[in-house]
Amino acid sequence: MAVRAVRGAVQLERDAADHMDEQVGELLTAILERNALTQENLISIWFTATPDLHSDFPAAAARRLGIVDVPLICAQELQIEGAMPRVVRVLAHIESEKPRAEITHVYLGAAATLRKDIAQ
């Protein structure tokens, strides 16, 4: 089994804990489904949020999905002028038999414009 990395992002409509939980949960579920992964394949997950998001930790959504024995960490994105607001990004380290080129990176909604080169 190889160690791979999966990227993803979602733009929130508003800074509210319930909305973040819903959107980040949807993002994580899509990452797992589109890559045919189970929680057993997860090694660790990094979350970043833009500085305008402060209602909750993005990792809390993972815990509510039942991802409880995987190391998670949250950090803040750089505040860059002109950057897309209210974005949560994910970098998940996984175990997978898939070649790197077959990993599906997931950018939902408006966040798809962040990485047109790898967004599915």
Side-chain angles (χ1 to χ4, degrees), residues 63-115:
R63 297 293 186 223
R64 284 190 273 280
L65 281 178
I67 301 173
V68 296
D69 62 348
V70 174
L72 310 175
I73 192 164
C74 297
Q76 189 175 75
E77 283 287 333
L78 296 173
Q79 189 168 352
I80 304 297
E81 188 173 325
M84 182 179 287
R86 301 178 314 282
V87 175
V88 174
R89 291 174 174 85
V90 171
L91 173 62
H93 299 96
I94 62 168
E95 292 179 322
S96 177
E97 295 292 342
K98 287 184 176 186
R100 189 178 301 156
E102 291 180 20
I103 297 297
T104 301
H105 304 282
V106 179
Y107 289 77
L108 300 179
T113 63
L114 294 171
R115 290 299 306 265

Side-chain angles (χ1 to χ4, degrees), residues 1-112:
M1 215 39 91
V3 174
R4 302 286 184 226
V6 183
R7 291 287 318 270
V10 64
Q11 182 184 38
L12 278 59
E13 294 174 14
R14 63 191 177 282
D15 183 25
D18 61 334
H19 183 60
M20 182 179 294
D21 185 56
E22 174 189 318
Q23 294 296 299
V24 174
E26 184 179 324
L27 176 60
L28 291 172
T29 299
I31 287 171
L32 292 172
E33 288 176 356
R34 294 182 193 182
N35 287 287
L37 300 170
T38 68
Q39 291 185 27
E40 292 300 314
N41 299 110
L42 296 173
I43 297 169
S44 64
I45 306 174
W46 281 79
F47 296 90
T48 64
T50 52
D52 52 3
L53 294 174
H54 45 77
S55 62
D56 201 0
F57 295 100
R63 297 293 186 223
R64 284 190 273 280
L65 281 178
I67 301 173
V68 296
D69 62 348
V70 174
L72 310 175
I73 192 164
C74 297
Q76 189 175 75
E77 283 287 333
L78 296 173
Q79 189 168 352
I80 304 297
E81 188 173 325
M84 182 179 287
R86 301 178 314 282
V87 175
V88 174
R89 291 174 174 85
V90 171
L91 173 62
H93 299 96
I94 62 168
E95 292 179 322
S96 177
E97 295 292 342
K98 287 184 176 186
R100 189 178 301 156
E102 291 180 20
I103 297 297
T104 301
H105 304 282
V106 179
Y107 289 77
L108 300 179

